[in-house]
Amino acid sequence: LSSCHGRTMSNDPLNLNEAAEWQGLWWLPEAPDERLPGVLRYDGKGGLSLSLIGAFENRISSNPAPGVTLYHGANRTWDVIHGVAQQREITLLGCIPTGSRRNWGARVESPDMQIVCATTAIIGAHVSGEKDAAFAAAEISVEDLTLWAVTSVFSCYHGYRDGMPDGTGTISVKPVETQRVNVEGTEYSLVHTHILPRLDYRRGATVGRMRDTASICVRRAEPFDLRTALEAASLIQDLIALATHRAAGVIWLQLEVAGTQVFLPNGRRLPPRRVDVLYSPVAVGKSDEKAIEPDSAFFTCEMLSFEQIMPRWCEVRGRLQAAINMILGLRYAPARFVENNLLMAAGAAEALHRGLGIDEKPIPDTEFKKIRSAMLNQVPEEHRGRFKQAIRNSPTLRDRLLALAARPDQEVIKQVVPDVEHWAKRTTQARNNLAHEGKTPSHSIDELNTIVRVTGAVVILNILHELGLSAERQRQVVRDHPQWQMVCEKAREWLVPPEG
């Protein structure tokens, strides 16, 4: 069946957490007749390595005179390497030779060997590079996406007799209608792919198998390149990470090759060609790990429908991407040192405040210009330029923190930040001491950790507020979510001024 529609069978996407290899022939696009045998290996963690029997010329040379060749110290890299293996076309992008063994003058003549590392592999098509607009759609599977989507093709029934299970039951399959929404010319589809029931007969048991996979398909009006597809995958990955409040790895990414849809003489439509992309995302997803509990998510499609959340998320992420990247960075790769986390959380708050467009000037411009002019008149001429750069009419970190705390539901803020003024003061002092003096002598490690958690929570609450998550749901999250309960408890312990 065609791409991005409800399907009863998939063509087995290549999971990013599963190792694989391809034995085939490889060549540079500018020399298609010079083919070398070799093996492409993917390590299941985002790493790609091509082991060649033979070698592409990676030495950079020049010919200053006829018959004279000079070899320079630098090595050549290749944007693209093409190959064919296991009846599939393969494109390698971002290729760097990491080891070559030449056998010039050896006693026993044997072939050269070369190892090339690549950043991305497109399994199933030849493209000319990252900017080749060769694709019509991208389909992404991310950890916890099925839980976030809420819907499923499965329904279960357990038989009872006299109030007790009687040993009967059924699992039925009913295709789920694909949900679609168009955002500024790009169509987003929430797709379910399932396999039909089957029985595996084993020596010790019989196992019944069915599987339902949720994915999001992104289709644009015009063909797009690989970079656009990777950005689409990142957009979905960030959405699920925010919604579930934990890192969300990409499980697989497939692309539909533009212009490959075929119609038979009888009018039947054959599916377009699909290719797998192997690369190293922010986090590689594990398809078989247990999902989180539904109540642990901030929001699902049951609270904000797919048709509602996608336009809002595209707009909010585009406007607040710097802040979102920094705050999610604490989910994907938390630093081992609290100082790094402090700078990240404070930076996210400042970037968020700027992105929200509430960068109000503390002093009216007319008054500020008079004040600055009077101050500069007291400074020697040779130092005025430096002082002029230092005098700015912009909010301080404390001003920004107070403004952020005033935006979401105040009942929620009161639980997370019992004393907003004290939190803003201590956070500003800690960040400034660390940035300007390289240490935070007046803050304990426990207080710094609490500042990071509380500041991150305020940033997240502002993002949820921008997405339109109801105040009731935000209160429920703060009240019931174990991590947020701990944040509130630590805030009451460390971010309330001592009595007297």
Side-chain angles (χ1 to χ4, degrees):
L1 299 178
S2 62
S3 173
C4 302
H5 292 76
R7 296 189 295 269
T8 57
M9 186 177 297
S10 71
N11 58 344
D12 294 327
L14 295 177
N15 288 346
L16 291 175
N17 70 323
E18 295 178 0
E21 70 175 39
W22 294 264
Q23 300 177 5
L25 297 175
W26 312 88
W27 64 91
L28 300 176
E30 61 269 22
D33 295 330
E34 301 174 13
R35 303 189 174 197
L36 299 177
V39 180
L40 172 65
R41 294 182 175 89
Y42 176 70
D43 63 5
K45 300 176 183 178
L48 289 156
S49 176
L50 175 63
S51 300
L52 293 170
I53 300 176
F56 298 128
E57 181 56 72
N58 64 307
R59 296 173 298 173
I60 297 178
S61 62
S62 62
N63 300 100
V68 178
T69 301
L70 296 179
Y71 293 98
H72 306 281
N75 286 328
R76 180 181 288 112
T77 61
W78 305 286
D79 293 332
V80 181
I81 292 177
H82 285 161
V84 288
Q86 298 169 206
Q87 301 179 340
R88 301 193 76 180
E89 299 166 323
I90 298 177
T91 301
L92 301 180
L93 301 173
C95 304
I96 302 173
T98 59
S100 299
R101 188 175 68 197
R102 308 281 184 167
N103 293 293
W104 300 310
R107 184 179 63 85
V108 178
E109 186 174 341
S110 59
D112 297 335
M113 305 291 289
Q114 189 175 60
I115 297 176
V116 179
C117 287
T119 58
T120 308
I122 299 174
I123 311 297
H126 285 159
V127 300
S128 61
E130 287 187 349
K131 297 182 180 180
D132 186 357
F135 308 109
E139 192 166 353
I140 307 107
S141 175
V142 176
E143 289 177 318
D144 296 320
L145 178 58
T146 301
L147 174 141
W148 174 79
V150 178
T151 53
S152 175
V153 302
F154 298 142
S155 59
C156 299
Y157 166 77
H158 297 273
Y160 289 87
R161 179 179 296 174
D162 298 329
M164 298 293 292
D166 62 4
T168 64
T170 61
I171 299 178
S172 60
V173 177
K174 182 179 180 181
V176 175
E177 183 178 352
T178 298
Q179 300 178 58
R180 294 184 177 85
V181 62
N182 192 287
V183 182
E184 297 183 353
T186 300
E187 183 187 73
Y188 295 88
S189 305
L190 180 56
V191 183
H192 281 268
T193 304
H194 67 277
I195 61 174
L196 295 176
R198 69 170 184 258
L199 297 178
D200 287 348
Y201 295 98
R202 303 188 178 186
R203 292 186 176 184
T206 300
V207 180
R209 292 185 180 276
M210 289 189 288
R211 186 181 67 219
D212 175 28
T213 301
S215 57
I216 291 181
C217 181
V218 182
R219 182 179 294 277
R220 305 186 69 174
E222 299 294 332
F224 55 86
D225 57 21
L226 178 65
R227 291 184 180 180
T228 303
L230 296 180
E231 171 57 26
S234 178
L235 176 102
I236 303 305
Q237 184 179 19
D238 289 351
L239 170 61
I240 304 305
L242 176 69
T244 60
H245 197 49
R246 72 171 187 173
V250 177
I251 298 174
W252 52 260
L253 170 62
Q254 280 197 332
L255 307 180
E256 177 187 314
V257 181
T260 59
Q261 190 165 274
V262 177
F263 290 88
L264 298 177
N266 61 4
R268 182 184 175 189
R269 182 177 62 180
L270 294 181
R273 180 150 49 103
R274 293 164 65 85
V275 301
D276 294 280
V277 180
L278 299 177
Y279 72 112
S280 180
V282 176
V284 173
K286 299 178 181 178
S287 58
D288 293 330
E289 285 200 355
K290 185 176 176 59
I292 65 171
E293 295 297 327
D295 293 341
S296 298
F298 288 165
F299 61 90
T300 64
C301 287
E302 198 171 38
M303 303 165 194
L304 290 172
S305 70
F306 184 76
E307 291 80 2
Q308 288 178 314
I309 190 59
M310 288 310 305
R312 295 181 188 179
W313 175 243
C314 291
E315 189 277 327
V316 169
R317 185 175 181 270
R319 181 161 45 93
L320 307 175
Q321 186 165 4
I324 291 171
N325 287 349
M326 283 189 277
I327 208 64
L328 290 182
L330 297 175
R331 299 281 175 269
Y332 287 112
R336 293 180 179 271
F337 301 99
V338 66
E339 291 84 357
N340 299 57
N341 292 335
L342 171 62
L343 295 177
M344 189 78 76
E350 289 191 297
L352 176 66
H353 185 268
R354 291 189 178 95
L356 290 171
I358 52 175
D359 203 4
E360 298 177 356
K361 297 184 182 299
I363 305 173
D365 274 337
T366 53
E367 294 183 26
F368 175 75
K369 289 178 180 179
K370 294 178 182 178
I371 295 171
R372 184 175 62 178
S373 178
M375 293 174 65
L376 291 175
N377 287 336
Q378 307 302 315
V379 179
E381 182 67 30
E382 63 270 22
H383 300 305
R384 284 183 184 176
R386 185 177 183 87
F387 270 81
K388 188 175 182 179
Q389 293 178 354
I391 304 171
R392 296 182 179 180
N393 188 24
S394 58
T396 63
L397 174 60
R398 179 178 175 276
D399 295 332
R400 298 183 193 277
L401 293 175
L402 292 174
L404 291 179
R407 290 177 65 82
D409 178 72
Q410 290 305 292
E411 183 177 327
V412 173
I413 288 294
K414 187 175 181 181
Q415 295 297 316
V416 178
V417 196
D419 191 313
V420 173
E421 288 283 349
H422 187 71
W423 159 70
K425 174 184 175 182
R426 295 297 288 171
T427 301
T428 302
Q429 186 180 37
R431 196 286 305 268
N432 290 345
N433 287 345
L434 181 60
H436 303 309
E437 301 177 20
K439 55 184 178 180
T440 54
S442 62
H443 294 71
S444 68
I445 293 296
D446 288 325
E447 185 181 11
L448 290 176
N449 274 317
T450 303
I451 285 173
V452 170
R453 292 192 178 101
V454 170
T455 305
V458 172
V459 170
I460 290 172
L461 287 172
N462 271 272
I463 297 171
L464 297 178
H465 176 73
E466 291 296 302
L467 289 174
L469 188 66
S470 68
E472 290 76 16
R473 177 56 188 167
Q474 294 182 47
R475 294 170 191 169
Q476 186 179 4
V477 168
V478 172
R479 183 180 67 247
D480 299 338
H481 197 288
Q483 292 185 31
W484 284 67
Q485 289 176 350
M486 182 185 68
V487 170
C488 297
E489 185 177 321
K490 291 294 184 181
R492 289 191 294 270
E493 181 179 358
W494 291 101
L495 290 181
V496 173
E499 294 183 4

